[in-house]
Amino acid sequence: MPFLNIDGKDYEAKVTFQFNKLAKERYYGEDKEGNKSSGINNIYEKLLNYDHEGLIGFWDCGVAHLKDRPKVIDIENALLELMDQAGDSEQLFKDCFKAMDESGFFKTQAKKFWINLEKAPDFAKDATEKKQIQTYLTRMKESRDDMTA
């Protein structure tokens, strides 16, 4: 699991029940009709898309198991410092994605995520939507390959 140094203290992220609970409360997705999606899947997908909200959500939930956990603003500042040192954020995304993807807690859910994503084109309303979904699916697979390379 990855570590994040905040004010001289190393915090280890863990994908656990506490991670999932906080993800459900704070990081769920919502569609146009107001339907909520899984918070943990939302973080996973944001990491795949190199969306910085995914990094923040990962770390906020990843330290939820700690009694004396850092505040979100402190997590953001520590991430910014690492990005400034590295010159980019790519490795941060890869480390967090790998932690989720290989987590015993999340592995089955990740497998289901990919199975459902593969089936998504079958639910398209028309050929245009099907093509858009297939393009998205291809992009997501490429991103996963990049994250795990």
Side-chain angles (χ1 to χ4, degrees), residues 13-39:
K14 293 185 179 182
V15 182
T16 63
F17 290 106
Q18 291 87 357
F19 185 112
N20 191 45
K21 182 179 179 183
L22 188 59
K24 281 182 181 181
E25 292 173 12
R26 293 188 184 172
Y27 296 99
Y28 58 85
E30 196 167 342
D31 66 15
K32 295 173 188 172
E33 289 82 37
N35 300 311
K36 294 181 181 179
S37 63
S38 165

PDB file of all heavy atoms in Angstrom, residues 13-39:
ATOM      1  N   ALA A  13      -2.002   4.132   3.260  1.00  0.00           N
ATOM      2  CA  ALA A  13      -3.382   3.967   2.791  1.00  0.00           C
ATOM      3  C   ALA A  13      -3.741   2.492   2.810  1.00  0.00           C
ATOM      4  O   ALA A  13      -2.922   1.639   2.467  1.00  0.00           O
ATOM      5  CB  ALA A  13      -3.528   4.509   1.374  1.00  0.00           C
ATOM      6  N   LYS A  14      -4.965   2.204   3.230  1.00  0.00           N
ATOM      7  CA  LYS A  14      -5.464   0.830   3.233  1.00  0.00           C
ATOM      8  C   LYS A  14      -6.873   0.811   2.659  1.00  0.00           C
ATOM      9  O   LYS A  14      -7.703   1.647   3.012  1.00  0.00           O
ATOM     10  CB  LYS A  14      -5.474   0.260   4.654  1.00  0.00           C
ATOM     11  CG  LYS A  14      -4.091   0.072   5.234  1.00  0.00           C
ATOM     12  CD  LYS A  14      -4.134  -0.610   6.575  1.00  0.00           C
ATOM     13  CE  LYS A  14      -2.725  -0.799   7.099  1.00  0.00           C
ATOM     14  NZ  LYS A  14      -2.720  -1.495   8.382  1.00  0.00           N
ATOM     15  N   VAL A  15      -7.109  -0.156   1.783  1.00  0.00           N
ATOM     16  CA  VAL A  15      -8.437  -0.328   1.202  1.00  0.00           C
ATOM     17  C   VAL A  15      -9.159  -1.355   2.067  1.00  0.00           C
ATOM     18  O   VAL A  15      -8.908  -2.551   1.976  1.00  0.00           O
ATOM     19  CB  VAL A  15      -8.347  -0.772  -0.273  1.00  0.00           C
ATOM     20  CG1 VAL A  15      -9.741  -0.898  -0.877  1.00  0.00           C
ATOM     21  CG2 VAL A  15      -7.511   0.218  -1.078  1.00  0.00           C
ATOM     22  N   THR A  16     -10.030  -0.839   2.937  1.00  0.00           N
ATOM     23  CA  THR A  16     -10.676  -1.650   3.974  1.00  0.00           C
ATOM     24  C   THR A  16     -12.167  -1.319   4.038  1.00  0.00           C
ATOM     25  O   THR A  16     -12.668  -0.526   3.248  1.00  0.00           O
ATOM     26  CB  THR A  16     -10.060  -1.332   5.350  1.00  0.00           C
ATOM     27  OG1 THR A  16     -10.328   0.054   5.645  1.00  0.00           O
ATOM     28  CG2 THR A  16      -8.556  -1.579   5.385  1.00  0.00           C
ATOM     29  N   PHE A  17     -12.823  -1.892   5.021  1.00  0.00           N
ATOM     30  CA  PHE A  17     -14.232  -1.575   5.250  1.00  0.00           C
ATOM     31  C   PHE A  17     -14.410  -0.081   5.524  1.00  0.00           C
ATOM     32  O   PHE A  17     -15.379   0.528   5.063  1.00  0.00           O
ATOM     33  CB  PHE A  17     -14.798  -2.387   6.426  1.00  0.00           C
ATOM     34  CG  PHE A  17     -14.950  -3.850   6.116  1.00  0.00           C
ATOM     35  CD1 PHE A  17     -14.077  -4.777   6.655  1.00  0.00           C
ATOM     36  CD2 PHE A  17     -15.965  -4.296   5.272  1.00  0.00           C
ATOM     37  CE1 PHE A  17     -14.212  -6.128   6.364  1.00  0.00           C
ATOM     38  CE2 PHE A  17     -16.103  -5.641   4.975  1.00  0.00           C
ATOM     39  CZ  PHE A  17     -15.230  -6.561   5.524  1.00  0.00           C
ATOM     40  N   GLN A  18     -13.476   0.513   6.273  1.00  0.00           N
ATOM     41  CA  GLN A  18     -13.569   1.940   6.566  1.00  0.00           C
ATOM     42  C   GLN A  18     -13.416   2.769   5.291  1.00  0.00           C
ATOM     43  O   GLN A  18     -14.088   3.793   5.124  1.00  0.00           O
ATOM     44  CB  GLN A  18     -12.512   2.358   7.596  1.00  0.00           C
ATOM     45  CG  GLN A  18     -12.754   1.798   8.975  1.00  0.00           C
ATOM     46  CD  GLN A  18     -12.130   0.403   9.153  1.00  0.00           C
ATOM     47  OE1 GLN A  18     -11.563  -0.181   8.230  1.00  0.00           O
ATOM     48  NE2 GLN A  18     -12.247  -0.142  10.352  1.00  0.00           N
ATOM     49  N   PHE A  19     -12.533   2.331   4.399  1.00  0.00           N
ATOM     50  CA  PHE A  19     -12.373   2.981   3.092  1.00  0.00           C
ATOM     51  C   PHE A  19     -13.715   2.989   2.377  1.00  0.00           C
ATOM     52  O   PHE A  19     -14.191   4.027   1.914  1.00  0.00           O
ATOM     53  CB  PHE A  19     -11.326   2.208   2.276  1.00  0.00           C
ATOM     54  CG  PHE A  19     -10.971   2.833   0.946  1.00  0.00           C
ATOM     55  CD1 PHE A  19      -9.706   3.359   0.748  1.00  0.00           C
ATOM     56  CD2 PHE A  19     -11.860   2.864  -0.119  1.00  0.00           C
ATOM     57  CE1 PHE A  19      -9.339   3.910  -0.484  1.00  0.00           C
ATOM     58  CE2 PHE A  19     -11.517   3.410  -1.339  1.00  0.00           C
ATOM     59  CZ  PHE A  19     -10.253   3.945  -1.521  1.00  0.00           C
ATOM     60  N   ASN A  20     -14.316   1.817   2.284  1.00  0.00           N
ATOM     61  CA  ASN A  20     -15.585   1.660   1.579  1.00  0.00           C
ATOM     62  C   ASN A  20     -16.690   2.500   2.213  1.00  0.00           C
ATOM     63  O   ASN A  20     -17.475   3.145   1.506  1.00  0.00           O
ATOM     64  CB  ASN A  20     -15.974   0.186   1.546  1.00  0.00           C
ATOM     65  CG  ASN A  20     -17.124  -0.080   0.604  1.00  0.00           C
ATOM     66  OD1 ASN A  20     -17.154   0.409  -0.516  1.00  0.00           O
ATOM     67  ND2 ASN A  20     -18.074  -0.871   1.063  1.00  0.00           N
ATOM     68  N   LYS A  21     -16.757   2.510   3.528  1.00  0.00           N
ATOM     69  CA  LYS A  21     -17.801   3.261   4.235  1.00  0.00           C
ATOM     70  C   LYS A  21     -17.695   4.762   3.938  1.00  0.00           C
ATOM     71  O   LYS A  21     -18.691   5.405   3.613  1.00  0.00           O
ATOM     72  CB  LYS A  21     -17.692   3.016   5.741  1.00  0.00           C
ATOM     73  CG  LYS A  21     -18.756   3.720   6.546  1.00  0.00           C
ATOM     74  CD  LYS A  21     -18.608   3.413   8.024  1.00  0.00           C
ATOM     75  CE  LYS A  21     -19.669   4.158   8.810  1.00  0.00           C
ATOM     76  NZ  LYS A  21     -19.526   3.951  10.248  1.00  0.00           N
ATOM     77  N   LEU A  22     -16.491   5.293   4.020  1.00  0.00           N
ATOM     78  CA  LEU A  22     -16.309   6.716   3.750  1.00  0.00           C
ATOM     79  C   LEU A  22     -16.543   7.027   2.275  1.00  0.00           C
ATOM     80  O   LEU A  22     -17.125   8.063   1.940  1.00  0.00           O
ATOM     81  CB  LEU A  22     -14.907   7.175   4.177  1.00  0.00           C
ATOM     82  CG  LEU A  22     -14.670   8.677   4.127  1.00  0.00           C
ATOM     83  CD1 LEU A  22     -15.654   9.431   5.023  1.00  0.00           C
ATOM     84  CD2 LEU A  22     -13.235   8.993   4.531  1.00  0.00           C
ATOM     85  N   ALA A  23     -16.127   6.132   1.393  1.00  0.00           N
ATOM     86  CA  ALA A  23     -16.361   6.321  -0.043  1.00  0.00           C
ATOM     87  C   ALA A  23     -17.856   6.396  -0.334  1.00  0.00           C
ATOM     88  O   ALA A  23     -18.295   7.211  -1.158  1.00  0.00           O
ATOM     89  CB  ALA A  23     -15.705   5.196  -0.838  1.00  0.00           C
ATOM     90  N   LYS A  24     -18.651   5.550   0.344  1.00  0.00           N
ATOM     91  CA  LYS A  24     -20.106   5.583   0.157  1.00  0.00           C
ATOM     92  C   LYS A  24     -20.695   6.919   0.598  1.00  0.00           C
ATOM     93  O   LYS A  24     -21.619   7.435  -0.021  1.00  0.00           O
ATOM     94  CB  LYS A  24     -20.775   4.466   0.961  1.00  0.00           C
ATOM     95  CG  LYS A  24     -20.698   3.120   0.328  1.00  0.00           C
ATOM     96  CD  LYS A  24     -21.426   2.095   1.183  1.00  0.00           C
ATOM     97  CE  LYS A  24     -21.328   0.718   0.570  1.00  0.00           C
ATOM     98  NZ  LYS A  24     -22.036  -0.287   1.372  1.00  0.00           N
ATOM     99  N   GLU A  25     -20.156   7.477   1.673  1.00  0.00           N
ATOM    100  CA  GLU A  25     -20.674   8.731   2.224  1.00  0.00           C
ATOM    101  C   GLU A  25     -20.280   9.954   1.405  1.00  0.00           C
ATOM    102  O   GLU A  25     -21.087  10.856   1.210  1.00  0.00           O
ATOM    103  CB  GLU A  25     -20.157   8.928   3.657  1.00  0.00           C
ATOM    104  CG  GLU A  25     -20.706   7.961   4.661  1.00  0.00           C
ATOM    105  CD  GLU A  25     -20.028   8.091   6.022  1.00  0.00           C
ATOM    106  OE1 GLU A  25     -19.287   9.077   6.250  1.00  0.00           O
ATOM    107  OE2 GLU A  25     -20.219   7.186   6.852  1.00  0.00           O
ATOM    108  N   ARG A  26     -19.025   9.986   0.925  1.00  0.00           N
ATOM    109  CA  ARG A  26     -18.487  11.214   0.350  1.00  0.00           C
ATOM    110  C   ARG A  26     -18.201  11.183  -1.149  1.00  0.00           C
ATOM    111  O   ARG A  26     -18.146  12.247  -1.769  1.00  0.00           O
ATOM    112  CB  ARG A  26     -17.163  11.573   1.029  1.00  0.00           C
ATOM    113  CG  ARG A  26     -17.296  11.963   2.459  1.00  0.00           C
ATOM    114  CD  ARG A  26     -15.980  12.473   2.971  1.00  0.00           C
ATOM    115  NE  ARG A  26     -16.060  12.763   4.394  1.00  0.00           N
ATOM    116  CZ  ARG A  26     -15.038  13.068   5.151  1.00  0.00           C
ATOM    117  NH1 ARG A  26     -13.831  13.129   4.615  1.00  0.00           N
ATOM    118  NH2 ARG A  26     -15.189  13.308   6.426  1.00  0.00           N
ATOM    119  N   TYR A  27     -17.956  10.011  -1.705  1.00  0.00           N
ATOM    120  CA  TYR A  27     -17.397   9.987  -3.052  1.00  0.00           C
ATOM    121  C   TYR A  27     -18.238   9.229  -4.079  1.00  0.00           C
ATOM    122  O   TYR A  27     -17.724   8.834  -5.114  1.00  0.00           O
ATOM    123  CB  TYR A  27     -15.969   9.422  -3.007  1.00  0.00           C
ATOM    124  CG  TYR A  27     -15.064  10.327  -2.211  1.00  0.00           C
ATOM    125  CD1 TYR A  27     -14.759  10.040  -0.884  1.00  0.00           C
ATOM    126  CD2 TYR A  27     -14.569  11.493  -2.771  1.00  0.00           C
ATOM    127  CE1 TYR A  27     -13.953  10.891  -0.144  1.00  0.00           C
ATOM    128  CE2 TYR A  27     -13.774  12.356  -2.033  1.00  0.00           C
ATOM    129  CZ  TYR A  27     -13.461  12.040  -0.721  1.00  0.00           C
ATOM    130  OH  TYR A  27     -12.679  12.892   0.004  1.00  0.00           O
ATOM    131  N   TYR A  28     -19.508   9.094  -3.835  1.00  0.00           N
ATOM    132  CA  TYR A  28     -20.384   8.424  -4.795  1.00  0.00           C
ATOM    133  C   TYR A  28     -20.546   9.298  -6.034  1.00  0.00           C
ATOM    134  O   TYR A  28     -20.353  10.514  -6.002  1.00  0.00           O
ATOM    135  CB  TYR A  28     -21.749   8.126  -4.174  1.00  0.00           C
ATOM    136  CG  TYR A  28     -22.479   9.344  -3.670  1.00  0.00           C
ATOM    137  CD1 TYR A  28     -23.262  10.108  -4.530  1.00  0.00           C
ATOM    138  CD2 TYR A  28     -22.380   9.739  -2.343  1.00  0.00           C
ATOM    139  CE1 TYR A  28     -23.928  11.234  -4.083  1.00  0.00           C
ATOM    140  CE2 TYR A  28     -23.040  10.868  -1.885  1.00  0.00           C
ATOM    141  CZ  TYR A  28     -23.807  11.609  -2.759  1.00  0.00           C
ATOM    142  OH  TYR A  28     -24.452  12.734  -2.313  1.00  0.00           O
ATOM    143  N   GLY A  29     -20.884   8.671  -7.134  1.00  0.00           N
ATOM    144  CA  GLY A  29     -21.222   9.390  -8.361  1.00  0.00           C
ATOM    145  C   GLY A  29     -22.725   9.545  -8.437  1.00  0.00           C
ATOM    146  O   GLY A  29     -23.469   8.854  -7.742  1.00  0.00           O
ATOM    147  N   GLU A  30     -23.171  10.467  -9.264  1.00  0.00           N
ATOM    148  CA  GLU A  30     -24.608  10.675  -9.419  1.00  0.00           C
ATOM    149  C   GLU A  30     -24.899  10.996 -10.883  1.00  0.00           C
ATOM    150  O   GLU A  30     -24.247  11.850 -11.479  1.00  0.00           O
ATOM    151  CB  GLU A  30     -25.072  11.810  -8.505  1.00  0.00           C
ATOM    152  CG  GLU A  30     -26.547  11.850  -8.300  1.00  0.00           C
ATOM    153  CD  GLU A  30     -26.953  12.776  -7.152  1.00  0.00           C
ATOM    154  OE1 GLU A  30     -26.117  13.117  -6.306  1.00  0.00           O
ATOM    155  OE2 GLU A  30     -28.136  13.133  -7.110  1.00  0.00           O
ATOM    156  N   ASP A  31     -25.878  10.295 -11.462  1.00  0.00           N
ATOM    157  CA  ASP A  31     -26.223  10.540 -12.865  1.00  0.00           C
ATOM    158  C   ASP A  31     -27.284  11.635 -12.975  1.00  0.00           C
ATOM    159  O   ASP A  31     -27.713  12.207 -11.968  1.00  0.00           O
ATOM    160  CB  ASP A  31     -26.646   9.247 -13.578  1.00  0.00           C
ATOM    161  CG  ASP A  31     -27.940   8.656 -13.049  1.00  0.00           C
ATOM    162  OD1 ASP A  31     -28.698   9.345 -12.331  1.00  0.00           O
ATOM    163  OD2 ASP A  31     -28.209   7.481 -13.362  1.00  0.00           O
ATOM    164  N   LYS A  32     -27.711  11.923 -14.194  1.00  0.00           N
ATOM    165  CA  LYS A  32     -28.676  12.995 -14.457  1.00  0.00           C
ATOM    166  C   LYS A  32     -30.013  12.780 -13.763  1.00  0.00           C
ATOM    167  O   LYS A  32     -30.716  13.727 -13.441  1.00  0.00           O
ATOM    168  CB  LYS A  32     -28.904  13.133 -15.962  1.00  0.00           C
ATOM    169  CG  LYS A  32     -27.693  13.578 -16.712  1.00  0.00           C
ATOM    170  CD  LYS A  32     -27.921  13.527 -18.211  1.00  0.00           C
ATOM    171  CE  LYS A  32     -26.629  13.790 -18.947  1.00  0.00           C
ATOM    172  NZ  LYS A  32     -26.737  13.579 -20.377  1.00  0.00           N
ATOM    173  N   GLU A  33     -30.377  11.514 -13.548  1.00  0.00           N
ATOM    174  CA  GLU A  33     -31.651  11.196 -12.893  1.00  0.00           C
ATOM    175  C   GLU A  33     -31.535  11.164 -11.370  1.00  0.00           C
ATOM    176  O   GLU A  33     -32.492  10.874 -10.678  1.00  0.00           O
ATOM    177  CB  GLU A  33     -32.176   9.835 -13.385  1.00  0.00           C
ATOM    178  CG  GLU A  33     -32.669   9.834 -14.822  1.00  0.00           C
ATOM    179  CD  GLU A  33     -31.531   9.689 -15.829  1.00  0.00           C
ATOM    180  OE1 GLU A  33     -30.569   8.936 -15.556  1.00  0.00           O
ATOM    181  OE2 GLU A  33     -31.601  10.336 -16.883  1.00  0.00           O
ATOM    182  N   GLY A  34     -30.321  11.415 -10.846  1.00  0.00           N
ATOM    183  CA  GLY A  34     -30.120  11.417  -9.399  1.00  0.00           C
ATOM    184  C   GLY A  34     -29.784  10.066  -8.809  1.00  0.00           C
ATOM    185  O   GLY A  34     -29.722   9.919  -7.587  1.00  0.00           O
ATOM    186  N   ASN A  35     -29.536   9.069  -9.659  1.00  0.00           N
ATOM    187  CA  ASN A  35     -29.141   7.746  -9.170  1.00  0.00           C
ATOM    188  C   ASN A  35     -27.688   7.775  -8.718  1.00  0.00           C
ATOM    189  O   ASN A  35     -26.824   8.291  -9.436  1.00  0.00           O
ATOM    190  CB  ASN A  35     -29.312   6.693 -10.273  1.00  0.00           C
ATOM    191  CG  ASN A  35     -30.737   6.596 -10.748  1.00  0.00           C
ATOM    192  OD1 ASN A  35     -31.668   6.503  -9.951  1.00  0.00           O
ATOM    193  ND2 ASN A  35     -30.928   6.638 -12.060  1.00  0.00           N
ATOM    194  N   LYS A  36     -27.441   7.236  -7.542  1.00  0.00           N
ATOM    195  CA  LYS A  36     -26.093   7.240  -6.978  1.00  0.00           C
ATOM    196  C   LYS A  36     -25.368   5.943  -7.339  1.00  0.00           C
ATOM    197  O   LYS A  36     -25.964   4.880  -7.340  1.00  0.00           O
ATOM    198  CB  LYS A  36     -26.147   7.396  -5.461  1.00  0.00           C
ATOM    199  CG  LYS A  36     -26.680   8.742  -5.032  1.00  0.00           C
ATOM    200  CD  LYS A  36     -26.709   8.874  -3.534  1.00  0.00           C
ATOM    201  CE  LYS A  36     -27.274  10.215  -3.131  1.00  0.00           C
ATOM    202  NZ  LYS A  36     -27.341  10.370  -1.683  1.00  0.00           N
ATOM    203  N   SER A  37     -24.068   6.091  -7.625  1.00  0.00           N
ATOM    204  CA  SER A  37     -23.245   4.919  -7.905  1.00  0.00           C
ATOM    205  C   SER A  37     -22.263   4.703  -6.755  1.00  0.00           C
ATOM    206  O   SER A  37     -22.081   5.571  -5.903  1.00  0.00           O
ATOM    207  CB  SER A  37     -22.488   5.102  -9.224  1.00  0.00           C
ATOM    208  OG  SER A  37     -21.593   6.190  -9.120  1.00  0.00           O
ATOM    209  N   SER A  38     -21.632   3.580  -6.761  1.00  0.00           N
ATOM    210  CA  SER A  38     -20.697   3.190  -5.717  1.00  0.00           C
ATOM    211  C   SER A  38     -19.567   4.206  -5.564  1.00  0.00           C
ATOM    212  O   SER A  38     -18.927   4.591  -6.540  1.00  0.00           O
ATOM    213  CB  SER A  38     -20.114   1.815  -6.059  1.00  0.00           C
ATOM    214  OG  SER A  38     -18.973   1.542  -5.284  1.00  0.00           O
ATOM    215  N   GLY A  39     -19.314   4.604  -4.335  1.00  0.00           N
ATOM    216  CA  GLY A  39     -18.220   5.539  -4.066  1.00  0.00           C
ATOM    217  C   GLY A  39     -16.865   4.942  -4.364  1.00  0.00           C
ATOM    218  O   GLY A  39     -15.994   5.600  -4.934  1.00  0.00           O
TER     219      GLY A  39
END
